[in-house]
């Protein structure tokens, strides 16, 4: 069995997979972990064929939360394994791997130190990831642990794509550059799209794919010959597309303007750009695209504007990335919005026939696409349009099982 762990600052998401088949056996989420004020945390645990199992308890840190997770996994009524000895490896989602990690790695002291070092450039994510790693080391001693980085897939970006137009010393001395995120999701759907294109006779070196991860966070990636060559998120996940609550691209001169003319502090600006902007900020309604649709249909013009900007930005980047790659074989939509929202797909691809993109409106609007891989382009469209459900946890489980299987026996 492989346990996949994804720690946020106040949450612990997990999924247990059968190592050989990749079959998911159980999953769950502990929320309100490590929150101040003595509030109880809640663990919601699901396992195949069982009712949801909920545990309310104090979970002052991730290690205590993990204890409850392991308890649920081995619980006589709700568990799926007889003992913790069945967990052969643990895979962690780690947001930032800096420039050091181009692929998933077994965690040793040096890797752990690197994850800690990157807390400086990913203060919202890496500290929690690190806590998860340490909690697993203590609760599951001797079990190999693997780090799967959100940044790793974008390691193949060329310097023209990742160097900002800033003094070069900032890159050399402080690592300030584009890193890109959502890499595990982009890699997962790009691999599937590559296979589908191969079946149509487009060999890997000729493939030019744009993967659109549109969820709460949104990013586009240009994947040429199986490699990420450009991506819309940057030094942090704030850059690029309009997102649920993040602004995406803005003029950086706005920041000193807001300080000097509105008297805002850096903390206030950071909070505004990350949490009060995007669909929420423009519409004033919600960060959830379903609420935006409902409000727009009811005549709310700002909600309509938010939706229009959202799709306009996707189109903007699609055009840019097709140009960067010198052509286009397929566009892939994934994540909450990408997989479920035919209006966003249609509006983002509108008038892209000049690039060879012909969407089939009926296939695109098919209500029961959910959870399935679908090709929603017309039969003779030169560019394919795929809807592919992402599965970052499965990708992490596969990498983890592969690396653990390659370990010399004495390390296990
Ligand atoms: P994710 O970050 O991938 O979980 O995506 C979350 C976002 O996907 C939500 O904020 C919604 O805007 C969107 N979403 C989820 N389910 C649907 C749905 N059935 N139809 C349209 N949008 C959806």
């Amino acid at each position: 069995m492989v346990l996949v762990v994804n720690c946020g600052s106040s949450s612990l998401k997990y999924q247990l997979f059968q190592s050989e088949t990749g079959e998911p056996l159980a999953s769950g989420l502990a929320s309100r972990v490590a929150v101040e004020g003595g509030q109880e945390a809640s663990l919601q645990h699901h396992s195949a064929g069982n009712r949801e199992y909920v545990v309310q308890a104090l979970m002052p840190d991730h290690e205590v939360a993990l204890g409850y997770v392991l308890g649920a996994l081995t619980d006589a009524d709700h568990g799926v394994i007889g003992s913790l000895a069945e967990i052969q490896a643990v895979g962690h989602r780690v947001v930032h791997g800096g420039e050091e990690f181009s692929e998933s790695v077994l965690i040793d002291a040096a890797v752990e130190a690197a994850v800690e070092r990157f807390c400086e450039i990913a203060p919202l994510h890496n500290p929690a990831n690190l806590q998860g790693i340490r909690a697993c080391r203590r609760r599951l001693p001797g079990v190999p642990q693997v780090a799967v980085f959100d940044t790793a897939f974008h390691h193949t970006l060329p310097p023209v794509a990742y160097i900002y137009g800033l003094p070069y010393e900032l890159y050399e001395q402080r690592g300030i550059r584009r890193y890109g995120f959502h890499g595990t999701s982009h890699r997962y759907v790009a691999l599937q799209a590559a296979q589908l294109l191969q079946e149509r006779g487009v060999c890997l070196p000729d493939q030019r794919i744009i993967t659109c991860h549109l969820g709460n966070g949104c990013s586009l990636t240009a994947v040429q010959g199986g490699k990420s060559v450009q991506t819309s998120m940057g030094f942090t996940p704030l850059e690029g597309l309009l997102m649920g609550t993040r602004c995406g691209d803005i003029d950086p001169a706005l920041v000193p303007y807001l300080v000097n003319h509105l008297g805002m502090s850096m903390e206030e600006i950071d909070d505004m750009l990350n949490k009060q902007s995007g669909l929420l900020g423009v519409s004033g309604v919600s960060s959830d695209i379903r609420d935006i649709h409902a409000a727009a249909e009811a005549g709310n013009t700002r909600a309509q504007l938010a939706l229009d900007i959202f799709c306009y930005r996707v189109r903007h980047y699609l055009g840019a990335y097709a140009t960067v790659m010198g052509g286009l074989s397929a566009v892939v939509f994934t994540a909450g919005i990408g997989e479920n929202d035919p209006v966003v797909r249609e509006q983002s691809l509108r008038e892209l026939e000049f690039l060879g993109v012909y969407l089939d409106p009926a296939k695109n609007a098919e209500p029961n696409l959910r959870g399935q891989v679908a090709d929603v382009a017309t039969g003779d469209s030169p560019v394919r349009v795929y809807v592919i459900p992402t599965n970052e946890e499965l990708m992490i489980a596969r990498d983890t099982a592969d690396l653990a299987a390659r370990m010399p026996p004495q390390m296990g």
Side-chain angles (χ1 to χ4, degrees):
M1 310 282 169
V2 172
L3 178 65
V4 172
V5 172
N6 180 357
C7 281
S9 57
S10 62
S11 65
L12 192 164
K13 237 170 104 179
Y14 63 94
Q15 204 162 347
L16 188 74
F17 290 89
Q18 192 21 281
S19 325
E20 290 80 26
T21 59
E23 185 196 348
L25 300 175
S27 64
L29 169 71
S31 44
R32 295 196 304 276
V33 175
V35 292
E36 295 186 356
Q39 228 191 340
E40 280 200 337
S42 156
L43 168 69
Q44 292 164 291
H45 174 81
H46 310 259
S47 55
N50 269 332
R51 274 185 301 122
E52 186 180 71
Y53 173 51
V54 178
V55 181
Q56 307 270 8
L58 284 175
M59 301 186 197
D61 58 41
H62 288 78
E63 191 177 335
V64 174
L66 182 69
Y68 282 102
V69 169
L70 298 177
L73 289 169
T74 50
D75 184 84
D77 296 325
H78 302 275
V80 286
I81 50 176
S83 87
L84 296 182
E86 291 181 47
I87 300 178
Q88 296 154 306
V90 182
H92 293 268
R93 175 187 185 212
V94 179
V95 168
H96 220 305
E99 286 198 309
E100 235 155 285
F101 300 104
S102 57
E103 52 190 23
S104 305
V105 288
L106 275 167
I107 300 174
D108 57 15
V111 172
E112 198 175 308
V115 173
E116 186 160 22
R117 218 166 41 250
F118 301 136
C119 286
E120 187 192 322
I121 50 176
L124 299 179
H125 299 101
N126 271 38
N129 302 153
L130 193 61
Q131 294 223 20
I133 291 169
R134 290 178 174 159
C136 286
R137 182 153 42 71
R138 285 193 285 261
R139 293 269 177 171
L140 296 166
V143 175
Q145 297 196 60
V146 168
V148 180
F149 300 97
D150 258 23
T151 48
F153 183 55
H154 305 302
H155 211 259
T156 44
L157 256 61
V160 287
Y162 70 71
I163 296 289
Y164 288 123
L166 294 168
Y168 197 73
E169 297 72 31
L170 286 176
Y171 165 61
E172 287 182 309
Q173 291 161 17
R174 309 294 305 194
I176 294 177
R177 51 161 283 181
R178 176 188 308 285
Y179 288 101
F181 297 90
H182 289 149
T184 308
S185 173
H186 287 293
R187 178 160 66 106
Y188 180 78
V189 297
L191 274 170
Q192 292 202 44
Q195 207 164 352
L196 293 169
L197 287 171
Q198 207 127 22
E199 284 163 17
R200 300 180 70 92
V202 188
C203 63
L204 190 66
D206 293 338
Q207 292 182 2
R208 295 172 171 88
I209 302 172
I210 301 176
T211 48
C212 310
H213 179 108
L214 307 178
N216 244 327
C218 301
S219 64
L220 253 65
T221 296
V223 184
Q224 187 163 7
K227 295 193 164 80
S228 168
V229 294
Q230 181 57 298
T231 192
S232 60
M233 284 179 166
F235 179 66
T236 75
L238 186 57
E239 192 178 344
L241 300 167
L242 193 83
M243 312 183 205
T245 60
R246 296 190 196 124
C247 60
D249 296 332
I250 55 164
D251 180 347
L254 265 169
V255 175
Y257 183 89
L258 293 169
V259 171
N260 295 331
H261 296 272
L262 275 74
M264 289 177 78
S265 69
M266 279 303 167
E267 288 72 29
E268 286 170 333
I269 295 174
D270 197 43
D271 185 75
M272 182 187 80
L273 300 179
N274 277 291
K275 297 188 185 148
Q276 312 294 333
S277 299
L279 290 173
L280 173 67
V282 176
S283 69
V285 171
S286 167
S287 63
D288 190 310
I289 201 105
R290 290 165 289 192
D291 300 332
I292 301 287
H293 283 302
E297 277 158 30
N300 184 321
T301 51
R302 265 174 55 191
Q304 184 62 52
L305 179 63
L307 177 66
D308 291 345
I309 299 171
F310 186 92
C311 299
Y312 177 88
R313 290 261 186 107
V314 175
R315 284 181 83 226
H316 173 107
Y317 273 97
L318 284 171
Y321 289 0
T323 305
V324 159
M325 292 190 287
L328 189 58
S329 323
V331 178
V332 181
F333 286 95
T334 193
I337 300 173
E339 291 166 30
N340 296 304
D341 196 323
V343 176
V344 166
R345 291 195 296 262
E346 189 276 327
Q347 200 172 325
S348 303
L349 297 179
R350 202 173 282 169
E351 292 175 352
L352 294 189
E353 290 81 7
F354 78 100
L355 285 176
V357 182
Y358 292 82
L359 189 71
D360 183 319
K363 284 190 205 162
N364 182 50
E366 185 77 44
N368 49 11
L369 287 182
R370 205 153 294 171
Q372 289 175 28
V373 174
D375 182 343
V376 295
T378 60
D380 56 1
S381 173
V383 174
R384 307 318 304 165
V385 179
Y386 297 124
V387 179
I388 303 180
T390 193
N391 196 338
E392 289 162 280
E393 288 77 16
L394 178 60
M395 192 88 243
I396 294 172
R398 282 186 191 155
D399 280 7
T400 303
D402 284 352
L403 280 165
R406 277 191 258 149
M407 254 179 77
Q410 73 272 16
M411 283 174 74

